[in-house]
Amino acid sequence: MTTIYLDNNATTKIDPLVLKEMMPFLTDYYGNPSSMHKFGGQVSSHIAKARHRLASLLNVQPDEIIFTAGGTESDNTAIYSALESQPGKKHLITTRVEHPAILNVCRHLEEHGYEVTYLDVDEKGQLNLDDLRAALRPDTAIVSIMYANSETGVIFPMQEIAKIVKGQGVMLHTDAVQAVGKIDLNLQTLPVDYLSLSGHKIHGPKGIGALFVRKGVPFRPHLRGGHQEHGRRAGTENTASIVGLGKAAELAQLNMDIESNGVKHMRDVLEEGLLKAIPQAIINGDTEHRLPNTTNISFKHVEGEAILLMMDGFGIAASSGSACTSGSLEPSHVLRAMGVPFTFAHGSIRFSLSRFNTDEEIKVVLQELPPIIKRLREISPFKCNNSADAPKCPC
Ligand SMILES: *Cc1c(COP(=O)(O)O)cnc(C)c1O
């Protein structure tokens, strides 16, 4: 059975063209790019090319790009860099719906004398920018707000956020891991100081990412050691993966139209089809400001894990809540922050598509999922009890 892979916000398939470009750097071109000899030097020129491709995708200068070991490292580096370069400032602002790579850094910092303001979101998963204005303080070291949410695809108004934050002269980081490659990001017109991205979310390899640091913005390295990345990130370069990330960035730029047309169309067909075929289903999140590839749907009175298991039987791969919280029965922190009612939150499924999906695959999901939900509802353990958690309970 072939897999119908609709979990692209968790990770993506490596584009065969990316793999092809990487292979020589895992076999013949194993030289250390820091070496003086030609054998190493030729590798170093390919790293420069990758940096150039990534810079082009974001419309920035190549020397504003630092290669890291992924989105998590980029997020950590940005936060610690801002704190270390402004030792007097002990306050951070973020949101309740960030990735754990930001939230758990903030929680750790709270145990070490820092104060963190977590901005709430409304029922659509959107921020109230007045909350942001009110949270800014003279001792705010950094504001870190994700560009697009991994679970719902909700896009935050980064241009307005930047205007507010930079207007107060405060440093701004955005975790754009889910936005890069899916929507156009032009950092010439978006004045963020730091931006994180990850290779494996854009059809590149895992364990590679990048941090954009705007020229002139203070920077302190997170990893110290050798002089790689101009002393900004020590450690012998992950050459094959850097080359792969460069190729993935080039392909993302070339395929941007497919994301905003073809992928979005498949997502819309899937979403509309499911809502039509299945009663008591709702979309979670602001559908007007949303990634083209993501839909998060809650099916009332069913358990997300049960839906996933039954879809798995048909080779359909999606996710329920956040991949990082699955295994626990708590609804995801994102849906909780949005105040999604309990009876809906437990039955939420995230479908995240990519340019490798087909209309045929969407048809299969539209055929198989409605009967699955029907069957599960017949044996649902949830009893309709008109509790405060289920205000819209119909029975
Ligand atoms: C996946 C993801 C990360 C983590 O990136 P890794 O490369 O897996 O470390 C961070 N932030 C967001 C929004 C993500 O989706």
Side-chain angles (χ1 to χ4, degrees):
M1 183 168 44
T2 53
T3 301
I4 297 179
Y5 187 73
L6 300 173
D7 202 9
N8 287 278
N9 289 9
T11 196
T12 59
K13 171 194 166 82
I14 290 203
D15 190 308
L17 295 172
V18 169
L19 181 63
K20 189 166 166 237
E21 193 122 339
M22 289 172 70
M23 280 310 279
F25 298 90
L26 293 165
T27 51
D28 296 339
Y29 298 114
Y30 55 82
N32 188 324
S34 299
S35 299
M36 289 303 291
H37 44 72
K38 278 204 218 67
F39 189 61
Q42 65 191 4
V43 176
S44 139
S45 72
H46 287 275
I47 291 181
K49 185 167 155 194
R51 202 185 306 280
H52 213 271
R53 284 170 162 172
L54 201 47
S56 164
L57 177 65
L58 301 174
N59 196 13
V60 300
Q61 296 302 312
D63 62 359
E64 293 175 308
I65 300 286
I66 300 170
F67 290 113
T68 67
T72 300
E73 185 189 319
S74 297
D75 284 351
N76 274 258
T77 303
I79 301 277
Y80 284 105
S81 172
L83 298 181
E84 278 190 39
S85 57
Q86 309 166 96
K89 299 189 174 178
K90 300 286 184 195
H91 177 237
L92 300 89
I93 300 173
T94 187
T95 79
R96 291 205 184 279
V97 296
E98 299 295 311
H99 189 274
I102 292 292
L103 285 179
N104 286 334
V105 172
C106 287
R107 284 187 196 122
H108 178 75
L109 287 166
E110 283 180 296
E111 292 165 11
H112 290 84
Y114 289 88
E115 209 184 312
V116 182
T117 302
Y118 298 91
L119 301 174
D120 287 318
V121 294
D122 63 18
E123 70 286 351
K124 286 182 153 188
Q126 273 299 354
L127 293 169
N128 178 345
L129 294 184
D130 285 335
D131 292 348
L132 171 61
R133 283 187 194 93
L136 285 163
R137 311 191 320 209
D139 66 336
T140 304
I142 186 167
V143 175
S144 179
I145 296 182
M146 70 200 319
Y147 204 110
N149 192 274
S150 18
E151 291 187 39
T152 59
V154 169
I155 297 170
F156 284 148
M158 202 48 65
Q159 199 72 48
E160 288 163 67
I161 290 168
K163 204 170 155 200
I164 294 167
V165 175
K166 296 317 296 170
Q168 297 295 312
V170 174
M171 277 198 197
L172 177 59
H173 166 249
T174 185
D175 174 342
V177 170
Q178 291 293 347
V180 169
K182 293 174 189 156
I183 53 176
D184 196 29
L185 297 184
N186 180 356
L187 296 187
Q188 282 315 305
T189 52
L190 180 71
V192 298
D193 298 301
Y194 303 112
L195 177 142
S196 302
L197 62 88
S198 173
H200 74 102
K201 304 286 174 79
I202 59 168
H203 303 292
K206 294 169 179 60
I208 188 77
L211 179 66
F212 158 79
V213 181
R214 192 174 295 279
K215 199 168 284 178
V217 168
F219 183 77
R220 299 290 182 278
H222 193 46
L223 289 185
R224 290 188 174 77
H227 60 268
Q228 293 89 354
E229 299 294 289
H230 292 290
R232 295 179 298 179
R233 200 283 188 180
T236 301
E237 294 87 343
N238 185 352
T239 45
S241 293
I242 289 173
V243 166
L245 174 55
K247 186 65 181 176
E250 184 193 63
L251 293 170
Q253 200 166 4
L254 284 171
N255 290 312
M256 198 72 79
D257 281 352
I258 299 185
E259 289 289 336
S260 48
N261 296 309
V263 174
K264 181 175 183 298
H265 178 73
M266 284 189 282
R267 189 274 313 268
D268 291 344
V269 168
L270 174 66
E271 185 173 271
E272 283 158 27
L274 290 177
L275 291 185
K276 215 170 122 195
I278 303 171
Q280 309 234 55
I282 55 165
I283 303 171
N284 294 310
D286 183 353
T287 53
E288 270 173 47
H289 305 98
R290 191 169 54 151
L291 293 174
N293 79 318
T294 309
T295 178
N296 186 311
I297 308 182
S298 280
F299 304 98
K300 196 177 184 185
H301 288 144
V302 270
E303 188 67 66
E305 267 86 49
I307 304 171
L308 286 186
L309 272 176
M310 293 193 65
M311 285 201 300
D312 204 32
F314 293 96
I316 303 166
S319 85
S320 84
S322 161
C324 307
T325 55
S326 63
S328 81
L329 278 174
E330 279 285 285
S332 88
H333 70 289
V334 176
L335 299 182
R336 266 184 292 153
M338 290 163 63
V340 176
F342 175 86
T343 47
F344 277 103
H346 273 282
S348 88
I349 299 290
R350 175 189 70 190
F351 299 96
S352 47
L353 286 63
S354 84
R355 62 176 189 262
F356 289 102
N357 290 120
T358 63
D359 294 335
E360 226 12 79
E361 291 177 328
I362 300 303
K363 253 187 226 159
V364 173
V365 180
L366 286 175
Q367 183 185 312
E368 304 300 348
L369 186 53
I372 289 176
I373 302 292
K374 189 159 181 277
R375 226 168 309 146
L376 287 173
R377 278 183 176 158
E378 283 160 9
I379 56 164
S380 171
F382 292 114
K383 294 283 173 279
C384 221
N385 58 8
N386 286 311
S387 72
D389 279 336
K392 290 183 200 132
C393 195
C395 36

